[in-house]
Amino acid sequence: MILLVIVVFSSFVGRSIAGVLPFPRPLVQIAFGAAAGLVPQLEINLNPEIFFLLLVPPLLFIDGWRIPADELLRDRWTILHMAFGLVVATVLIVGIFIAWLVPGLPMGAALALSAALAPTDPIAVASIARRVPIPRRMMNLLQAESLLNDATGLVCLSFAIMFLMTGRFSAVSASTTFLWVAGAGLAIGYGITQAIVRTKTWIAARIGEDSGSQIVVSLLIPFVAYLAAEAASASGLFAAVAAGVTMARAEATGRALGATRIQRSAVWDSVQFIANGIVFVLLGEQLPTIISKARVTVEETGYHGLWWALMMIVTIYAAMLMLRLAWVWTSVLLSRPSPREGALPVWRIVAATTVAGSRGAIAFAGILTLPLLFSDGTAFAERDLTILIAMGVIVLSLVTAAVGLPFLLKTDTVATGQEAPSDIPARTAAATAALSEIVRISAMHATPTGEANAYTTATALVSRQYLQRLETFGVRDGEEPAVHPDAKVMLEVRLAAIRAERDSIFLMRRQHTITATVARRLVRELDLLEAHYEI
C-alpha cells in the first residue's frame, strides 16, 4: 500500500513540476523511493524472484501486445542485431574492461555486472516521449530491442554467475542452453496463449462473452506463460513476450466485444502504470541501503571511497555508451533510413538512439541475484560494490536520456517521423463496408409495412451520413433531413453499420493492407462509438 501511495504521489509531483523541472516520471519515482528508503520502518528486503514474477511478466506482455507487429517484421534484422549482437558484445567487451578497471574484482563478477547492465529499458524513454516527439520508427525499435534483450541479458547473466561460482565456462554448452531457453520460452508462450484464446473463444461462442472474465483471463496469461516456461527450465521472459505478441495476433480476428476491449485497455493501462511505478520506487528505495553497505565494502577492501566508486560508474557508463554508439551507427547504416526519417540528420538519429538506451527494471532485478557466497563458502566481498555500480549506471543512464534526448530531437523536422500513417484509405473502405451492410438491411425489410417504412427512413439517414463521410473524409456538411425515424430501428441500423466497419478494418489488418497502428486507432474509435450508442 505504501508503494502504491508513493507511485501516485510521485506521479502527481512529476506532473506539477513538469513546467519548471521537466524530469521524466521514473527519475521522480526513484527520488521519492530513495526518500522512503531513509525511513527504517519502510525498508524492504527485496526478493528478486518475487520481483520478477509479480512485475516483469505483465510489463513484457503488454509491450509485446501493443508493439506494431508489422514494424517489427520490417526492422527485424536491425532489432536482432541490437537485441542479441549488442548484448553479447556488451557482456564480453565491457565485462573485460570492468575487470581491468576495478582492481580485485573477479572476472566472473565483471561479466555478471556487464550482463545485468546489457538490457535496455524503454520506460523512461516513453515518459520522455510525452514531452519530446521521438520518431515513431525509433521508438518501435527501442521497444522491440528491449523486449528481446531483456531475456538475452539475463541468460548471459546466469552464465556469468555460473562462471563466477565454478570458474568454468563452455561456449558450446552455453550456446546450446541459450537456444533451448529462448526457443522453448517462445514456444511455451505462444502455445499457452493460443490454447487460452481458443478456449475462451469457444466458451464465449456458446454461452456468451463476459467482459470481466475476459479481462481476468488476459491478466493471468503472462503469469501462466512465465511460470510454465520457468518450470521447463526455459526463459519465462521470452514466454511473456511471445504471449503478448500472440495475443496481438489473436486480437486481429475481432472476436472480442467492443466493450471488452475498452475496459481491458483501461485495466491494462492501470496495471502498466502501477508496475512501472513500483519498479522505479523500489529501485530508489534500495539506494540508501546499497550505498551504506557499499561504503563499508569500500573501506574494508581498501578502495578509495565512494568518490572512487562514482568515477567507476561514470567510466563504465561511458564505455557502454561508446560501444552502443558504434553498434547503432552500424545498424543505421545497414538499415538505410527512409526519406522521412532522413529529414533528421543521421548523426542525430544515431546519437538519440544511443542515449535512449537507458537501463531500468531488468538490470536492477538482475544484479540483485548475485550470490552472497562463493561455492567454497567464502563471502563475495565486492557484491555490494558491484550492486552500487550497477544502480549508479541505471540512474546515470536515465539522467542522460532525460537531458540528452530533448536536445538531440529538438527540431521541427522530427515531427515528420512522428506522423501517423494515413488512415483515409482504411476509413474509406470501412465506410463502404458499412454502406453495403445498410443496403443489406434495407433489402431485408423491403416489404411495404409500417416496420419497413421505419427501416427505410433509418437506412436512408445513416447512408446519407456515410456518403457525406466518403465525400468529405469525415467533415459533416449540410442539414439533417427533417425526419424522426423510430429510435429502436435507428439504433439497430447504426450499430450494424459500425460493426460492419469494424469487421472491414479487422479484415484489412489480417490481409496486411493497413498497419497495426492504424487498425488499433480506428477500432478504438468504433468501439467507443458503439459504446456511446449502447448506453
Side-chain angles (χ1 to χ4, degrees):
M1 294 297 295
I2 292 173
L3 287 174
L4 290 177
V5 170
I6 295 174
V7 168
V8 173
F9 187 69
S10 62
S11 176
F12 169 75
V13 172
R15 293 196 307 272
S16 301
I17 67 173
V20 181
L21 298 172
F23 292 139
R25 184 187 299 162
L27 283 177
V28 178
Q29 290 168 336
I30 290 174
F32 274 88
L38 295 174
V39 181
Q41 292 79 4
L42 300 182
E43 184 176 350
I44 297 174
N45 294 319
L46 187 62
N47 185 332
E49 292 184 2
I50 300 298
F51 179 92
F52 273 116
L53 174 61
L54 294 183
L55 299 177
V56 176
L59 290 176
L60 294 179
F61 177 77
I62 192 61
D63 284 342
W65 189 349
R66 291 179 172 176
I67 195 168
D70 43 8
E71 301 196 20
L72 274 178
L73 292 175
R74 182 186 63 186
D75 294 325
R76 58 188 179 276
W77 298 118
T78 303
I79 293 169
L80 292 175
H81 185 241
M82 297 285 293
F84 294 101
L86 180 56
V87 168
V88 175
T90 300
V91 172
L92 296 177
I93 297 175
V94 176
I96 294 172
F97 174 74
I98 292 174
W100 170 81
L101 181 69
V102 183
L105 188 68
M107 176 61 76
L111 293 173
L113 175 58
S114 61
L117 293 173
T120 56
D121 191 330
I123 297 172
V125 179
S127 177
I128 297 169
R130 298 186 183 97
R131 300 182 291 106
V132 182
I134 297 179
R136 189 181 64 258
R137 187 175 182 183
M138 180 189 298
M139 193 67 211
N140 289 335
L141 176 63
L142 291 169
Q143 289 177 326
E145 176 197 2
S146 71
L147 279 177
L148 296 176
N149 68 15
D150 286 347
T152 307
L154 290 177
V155 171
C156 292
L157 175 62
S158 66
F159 293 149
I161 292 177
M162 187 184 304
F163 175 65
L164 174 65
M165 298 293 290
T166 64
R168 295 189 301 271
F169 176 77
S170 170
V172 175
S173 175
S175 301
T176 305
T177 303
F178 178 79
L179 291 176
W180 164 256
V181 166
L186 292 173
I188 290 172
Y190 171 80
I192 286 178
T193 306
Q194 282 284 15
I196 292 175
V197 168
R198 290 177 184 272
T199 301
K200 68 184 183 68
T201 301
W202 182 83
I203 294 174
R206 280 153 182 78
I207 63 174
E209 180 177 311
D210 176 63
S211 296
S213 300
Q214 295 280 337
I215 293 169
V216 172
V217 169
S218 73
L219 291 172
L220 290 174
I221 289 175
F223 299 104
V224 174
Y226 179 89
L227 289 172
E230 290 294 320
S233 299
S235 172
L237 303 181
F238 271 124
V241 172
V245 175
T246 306
M247 194 70 177
R249 292 178 63 87
E251 282 294 293
T253 60
R255 295 193 180 110
L257 295 177
T260 299
R261 280 191 293 269
I262 293 172
Q263 296 175 43
R264 188 174 57 195
S265 177
V267 169
W268 271 104
D269 285 343
S270 299
V271 169
Q272 192 173 29
F273 169 78
I274 291 170
N276 284 339
I278 288 178
V279 165
F280 287 104
V281 170
L282 281 174
L283 194 156
E285 193 275 339
Q286 297 290 305
L287 271 177
T289 302
I290 294 299
I291 292 175
S292 176
K293 291 181 178 179
R295 179 183 291 111
V296 176
T297 300
V298 168
E299 293 174 355
E300 291 179 349
T301 53
Y303 292 121
H304 308 290
L306 288 180
W307 284 107
W308 172 86
L310 179 62
M311 291 175 56
M312 295 298 102
I313 291 170
V314 174
T315 305
I316 291 170
Y317 178 64
M320 298 179 69
L321 211 60
M322 288 189 289
L323 176 60
R324 182 174 175 85
L325 176 65
W327 207 273
V328 170
W329 183 271
T330 305
S331 298
V332 169
L333 292 181
L334 292 176
S335 65
R336 298 177 182 178
S338 65
R340 171 181 291 180
E341 290 167 317
L344 192 69
V346 174
W347 73 268
R348 286 202 175 191
I349 294 176
V350 172
T353 306
T354 301
V355 170
S358 55
R359 272 63 184 176
I362 300 299
F364 167 54
I367 199 64
L368 293 180
T369 62
L370 286 177
L372 293 170
L373 302 173
F374 291 115
S375 55
D376 58 2
T378 58
F380 180 15
E382 292 84 3
R383 181 178 186 272
D384 293 325
L385 175 62
T386 306
I387 294 176
L388 176 65
I389 292 174
M391 298 182 79
V393 170
I394 293 171
V395 174
L396 182 57
S397 69
L398 293 172
V399 173
T400 303
V403 175
L405 282 179
F407 170 75
L408 292 169
L409 298 177
K410 187 174 64 176
T411 170
D412 294 335
T413 56
V414 72
T416 60
Q418 191 76 357
E419 290 177 355
S422 174
D423 55 14
I424 291 177
R427 292 184 185 275
T428 302
T432 304
L435 285 170
S436 299
E437 178 64 12
I438 293 169
V439 170
R440 188 189 68 81
I441 294 174
S442 180
M444 288 175 58
H445 301 84
T447 305
T449 61
E451 184 184 52
N453 292 335
Y455 275 98
T456 300
T457 303
T459 54
L461 179 58
V462 178
S463 295
R464 182 175 184 273
Q465 294 170 350
Y466 276 100
L467 288 172
Q468 286 180 340
R469 185 187 302 178
L470 287 173
E471 292 172 0
T472 61
F473 299 110
V475 179
R476 304 254 338 243
D477 191 16
E479 298 293 330
E480 294 288 350
V483 294
H484 301 283
D486 182 272
K488 182 178 179 180
V489 173
M490 188 68 176
L491 176 62
E492 180 184 340
V493 174
R494 285 188 187 278
L495 291 178
I498 289 171
R499 288 160 186 161
E501 281 190 88
R502 193 166 51 207
D503 290 342
S504 173
I505 291 170
F506 279 124
L507 178 60
M508 287 186 284
R509 179 69 195 109
R510 291 194 298 272
Q511 294 174 341
H512 304 289
T513 56
I514 60 174
T515 66
T517 303
V518 169
R520 188 176 295 118
R521 182 171 63 250
L522 298 185
V523 167
R524 178 164 179 79
E525 289 178 9
L526 293 171
D527 287 343
L528 292 170
L529 187 60
E530 181 184 50
H532 167 73
Y533 284 128
E534 288 180 336
I535 293 176

